[in-house]
Structures are given as structure tokens and as C-alpha cells.
Amino acid sequence: MHTVKQLGLLLIFVASSSLAQDLCPQSILDSSYMVSFEGRFVNRENSRSHIDIIWKHFTTSPDSFELTVDGTQSFLYVTTPDYRYIEILPQKIKRQMAYHHLKEFIASTPLRWDDLELLANGYYFCDNSISPKNTLFTTAFSQMWFSVTLDQPKQPTLVITHGAHGENREYQIHSWKNFNGALLPAVIEMRGPDYSGSLWIRSATHLSEKLLLDPILKNAKHHSKTSSILPLLGVGLDGEVKVPLILQMD
């Protein structure tokens, strides 16, 4: 019993120490861009899957991702620091995502919704004495990935994410390329415990702040004030109804 109590106190101390650290937003982009990329994978069922993604990143407004999976399923994913939701297309069914839903896979791909969260709203703890060269980042709010390790601080060629259930994912970056002023990893191989695949960027263009009037972003701001909790359905994003309670937005 004494040992259990000591362990509990240790966990509380570690948690409070982590929360005391400052948060450092880390984004691969430092200005507003629209990035188009795609991925091809062998998924957990040993089947092939494909995804097209258009990521609109804004420095002062919500990020959005337009996703098409296997040419048959389409989603719009909008995320802010306070909330996030998906819109299932073409029906335009909106569902707000709770934190635990971010661990789910995106349809038939091995990508998770939390991967998009880290791209859009990556928050990490600043102080990390274990890694004085800034090659180890401890995530602050990620639901899937607890830390990210780089082989070198600038233009890494190997990135490993460590996550829930002991899952590690490895990214081998084959090249970095300047896309209209944005230096991005152009070709990436991805490997997990029971899946693998490739990701590559097709284009990246600078976005004018005029696009802050984008109907998607105006809609997101409106719904941040009007969302409500309803005992309705949750969509597991493979087309099946799974979770009995989720936030719905009209």
C-alpha cells in the first residue's frame, strides 16, 4: 500500500511539473498557405487505400482540411484551439469531434484525425532538459501522440512519433522542397506497426488574408457560439454509427 501511495504522489508531481511548463506552438508553416498533398497506403487490413488532402492553414483563423478517401468518401475537417468538427459530404452532415474521437483512423487510411490536429494546432512543452538540441518534443494536447523525436533539429530526415498503446510511427523524409516560400517535406515514407505508405506534397500556395472571408471559416466562427449537446449519433468515419453521444451542430 505504501508503494502504491508513493507511486501516486510521483505521478501527481510529474503531471503538475508538466502543466507548469510553458506551451510552445510549433507549426511547419509560419504564414497562411494552402497545401495539396496525397497519400497511398497499405492499411491495417492489408488493403490499399488512398487519400487526397487540401489543407488551408491560417495564422489567425481556423484551419480546414478537405479530404477525399479512395475517391468515394469526402469530409471537411475544421479545427480551432477550442473545438473541431467534421462535415460528411455530400450530405453536409456536421458532427463536432470530442477529444477521444481524434484517436480514430480516417476511414480506411492509417492516418488519424489527431495527425491533422498536430499539423494545424501543434502545442508542445517548451522545457525539455532531456533533449538540449531540440530533437525531442513532448506534446501538450495530442490524444494519440505523446512525443515526437527528430534525428536533427532542422530539415530532419527521420521523425518518430510515440503514442497510445505503445504505438510508434516512423516517417522517413526523402526530400525537402521550397514551395513558394514554404520549406516543406516533399516526399515521406510512413511506417507503423501494421501499416505503411507514402505521402507527398503536390503544391503549396500562399493564401491572401482576404480568404478569411471564406464561408467555411465564417461558418466555423458562427458555430462556435451555437453548438449544442444532443444525444444523437457519432460517426466512426468509416460510414458506421458508433458513439451514442457527440456534439451536433445544426
Side-chain angles (χ1 to χ4, degrees):
M1 179 67 73
H2 184 66
T3 304
V4 172
K5 185 179 292 185
Q6 284 183 323
L7 179 59
L9 290 173
L10 177 61
L11 291 174
I12 291 172
F13 173 76
V14 171
S16 61
S17 298
S18 297
L19 292 174
Q21 295 176 4
D22 292 331
L23 296 181
C24 295
Q26 296 281 342
S27 177
I28 197 170
L29 294 168
D30 57 8
S31 58
S32 299
Y33 271 87
M34 180 170 67
V35 182
S36 173
F37 58 103
E38 65 179 294
R40 293 184 182 274
F41 314 99
V42 176
N43 62 22
R44 306 172 309 284
E45 287 76 33
N46 204 32
S47 299
R48 296 187 181 277
S49 62
H50 173 263
I51 190 168
D52 290 294
I53 301 175
I54 296 176
W55 172 28
K56 292 180 182 177
H57 172 72
F58 291 97
T59 55
T60 58
S61 289
D63 280 25
S64 67
F65 296 84
E66 299 170 36
L67 314 172
T68 302
V69 180
D70 295 332
T72 59
Q73 294 177 287
S74 296
F75 309 99
L76 171 67
Y77 181 69
V78 176
T79 174
T80 80
D82 301 317
Y83 73 96
R84 60 219 49 82
Y85 73 87
I86 62 165
E87 184 174 312
I88 303 170
L89 304 173
Q91 298 92 338
K92 295 186 177 181
I93 301 172
K94 289 188 177 71
R95 296 289 182 267
Q96 188 157 331
M97 299 281 283
Y99 274 122
H100 64 273
H101 293 128
L102 298 179
K103 291 183 181 180
E104 294 182 6
F105 291 100
I106 301 175
S108 61
T109 77
L111 297 178
R112 299 177 188 263
W113 295 99
D114 215 25
D115 298 330
L116 305 185
E117 279 293 301
L118 282 180
L119 273 178
N121 304 308
Y123 285 92
Y124 302 86
F125 294 117
C126 305
D127 182 24
N128 197 326
S129 59
I130 300 175
S131 179
K133 295 183 179 180
N134 294 323
T135 56
L136 174 61
F137 297 87
T138 304
T139 60
F141 301 118
S142 174
Q143 299 300 297
M144 180 63 205
W145 307 113
F146 304 147
S147 64
V148 180
T149 304
L150 316 178
D151 65 341
Q152 56 193 32
K154 293 184 178 180
Q155 297 185 37
T157 59
L158 179 65
V159 178
I160 300 176
T161 53
H162 312 271
H165 311 298
E167 180 176 339
N168 293 338
R169 182 191 286 170
E170 180 178 300
Y171 300 90
Q172 189 76 44
I173 301 174
H174 291 285
S175 65
W176 288 75
K177 182 179 176 181
N178 189 311
F179 292 89
N180 295 303
L183 187 63
L184 299 170
V187 181
I188 305 170
E189 280 189 46
M190 187 182 85
R191 185 172 299 277
D194 51 5
Y195 55 80
S196 61
S198 298
L199 293 158
W200 61 93
I201 292 178
R202 292 183 298 212
S203 65
T205 55
H206 198 275
L207 286 177
S208 167
E209 292 300 318
K210 293 179 180 179
L211 281 177
L212 295 179
L213 300 178
D214 188 317
I216 290 175
L217 304 182
K218 290 175 66 178
N219 194 42
K221 291 179 181 178
H222 168 72
H223 280 306
S224 68
K225 300 178 181 179
T226 60
S227 61
S228 59
I229 298 179
L230 294 176
L232 209 67
L233 70 161
V235 179
L237 308 176
D238 53 3
E240 297 180 2
V241 175
K242 293 183 178 180
V243 183
L245 180 63
I246 195 169
L247 294 178
Q248 184 195 18
M249 299 197 293
D250 298 325

